[in-house]
Structure formats: C-alpha cells, structure tokens
Amino acid sequence: ISHEFRTPLTVILGMVESLKNDTGGNREKSAEMVRRNSRQLLNLVNQLLDLSRLESGKLQLSPSNGDLATFLQYQLESFHSYAQARRIRLHFSSGLPHLPMAFDHDKIQTILVNLISNALKFTPEEGQISLAFHTISPSHAPHPEQVVFELSDTGVGIPAEQLERIFDRFYQVDDSSTRKGEGSGIGLALVQELV
C-alpha cells in the first residue's frame, strides 16, 4: 500500500516542481499528470475508507430507481476511449434491453469500474473485453429472479492455484517489483465485500 501512495505522490511533486520552473509549453501536460495522479490517490483513499465502513457496518445501501441494463452498458462505454487507444474491443451483451429496478448506482459503479479496470490492465492490445448481463430464476433461490453480470477478457488469466486468493485484501498474483499490472490489491477485495 505504501508503494501505491508513494508512486503518484512522487509524480505529483515532480510535476509541481516542473510547473514552477516551466517557461515553455509543457504546463498543460504536467497539469494533466498532476490531475491524473491526484485522482488515483483519491480513488485509493476512497476504497480504503469504503472497506473500513464495510467492516464497521456503516456502509449502507442507497438504492434508487433506474434502468440497470442501460446503466451497465454506460459504465462499460465510459472506458471506450481508453480501450480504443490500446486497440481493445469492448462488447456488451444483454438478454434484456431494459431492466427497470431499484439499485445502488454508486456501489454497482464501484464494482464495475474495479472489474473493468483490472480487465484493461491485463488485456493485451487487440484484445477484447465483454460484459454480459442477464437474469436467472434458480428454483432454490429465495427470490424469483437474480441479476447476473459477467465480465470476461482475452488477457493473461490467473493461474488456477491462485484463483481462490484474488479477493484477499492486498493480494497480488504477481507480487514482484517488476510486475506489469500496478494495483493495490484493494479493488477486488472491495468488489467482493460490496457484492
């Protein structure tokens, strides 16, 4: 976790120094790097706070009416420009064009952003990420229908022996200092807790 704070803070401090001394045209690029790294830090702090609230039982659901099918598609499409820059195709499929219902928009968004971000990190160029959405009616379920969404990608995958640990806090499949995918090991733990 310390590394996840140190890297963006180092970039921010370096860019602030650069902005102070810059008389050329790099101010806009430096300001953008400061903004991006600041958002990364804020996101990390928010995830840590959410985990803390979940542990203490203080993170409450706030459902409101909406169209879940449209909301899921919108969340996937919000990654379109980033995916396009890496030549990754995004695909949405749904058994239902619309599903009006009450759901917690912020929590569903947090779940999807973490899952899609992970998929983008580990999917190579020319790859594909798919979000499928449908309902099921299991005979033994306490409710007549359950909503299911599944995210899949053409990324490197996770070794079978490590699958059971991917939702552990601070766990990294590749914990070496040279790992390709940066992350804190908080996102998937938060996803599991929210689900």
Side-chain angles (χ1 to χ4, degrees):
I1 277 293
S2 298
H3 174 75
E4 299 308 320
F5 281 105
R6 187 177 58 201
T7 301
L9 281 172
T10 301
V11 170
I12 290 168
L13 289 171
M15 290 298 104
V16 167
E17 285 301 313
S18 175
L19 283 168
K20 266 180 27 183
N21 301 324
D22 186 15
T23 57
N26 290 327
R27 294 181 79 84
E28 197 171 309
K29 184 177 177 183
S30 295
E32 174 57 26
M33 286 186 74
V34 168
R35 186 190 66 76
R36 185 174 52 231
N37 281 277
S38 296
R39 285 191 180 195
Q40 183 180 342
L41 279 173
L42 182 60
N43 185 45
L44 180 59
V45 169
N46 286 338
Q47 287 187 357
L48 287 168
L49 288 171
D50 283 348
L51 278 173
S52 177
R53 285 187 205 112
L54 277 165
E55 281 181 343
S56 66
K58 293 182 180 171
L59 188 64
Q60 301 297 316
L61 284 176
S62 300
S64 61
N65 290 328
D67 183 336
L68 184 60
T70 303
F71 184 80
L72 293 175
Q73 185 171 9
Y74 175 78
Q75 294 305 313
L76 182 65
E77 288 174 359
S78 70
F79 288 89
H80 179 75
S81 62
Y82 180 75
Q84 189 175 28
R86 296 197 43 227
R87 297 191 310 263
I88 295 173
R89 293 177 309 283
L90 299 178
H91 178 69
F92 180 76
S93 63
S94 172
L96 302 165
H98 300 285
L99 182 60
M101 64 179 291
F103 60 97
D104 189 317
H105 293 69
D106 291 339
K107 293 183 183 56
I108 296 292
Q109 180 180 28
T110 298
I111 290 167
L112 284 171
V113 164
N114 275 292
L115 293 175
I116 296 167
S117 294
N118 266 9
L120 283 166
K121 262 191 263 185
F122 297 104
T123 299
E125 287 192 2
E126 306 293 335
Q128 180 171 316
I129 296 172
S130 298
L131 177 60
F133 164 68
H134 58 276
T135 58
I136 57 172
S137 299
S139 57
H140 61 281
H143 302 288
E145 281 192 321
Q146 294 179 356
V147 174
V148 176
F149 58 88
E150 301 170 6
L151 191 75
S152 60
D153 62 61
T154 56
V156 295
I158 300 167
E161 66 274 5
Q162 294 185 354
L163 281 174
E164 66 185 35
R165 299 218 38 224
I166 64 170
F167 293 104
D168 293 353
R169 289 182 189 180
F170 313 115
Y171 180 73
Q172 297 286 337
V173 170
D174 177 3
D175 62 358
S176 69
S177 61
T178 59
R179 72 180 190 252
K180 282 180 87 172
E182 289 296 319
S184 61
I186 295 173
L188 291 181
L190 180 59
V191 165
Q192 183 183 45
E193 295 282 340
L194 289 173
V195 169

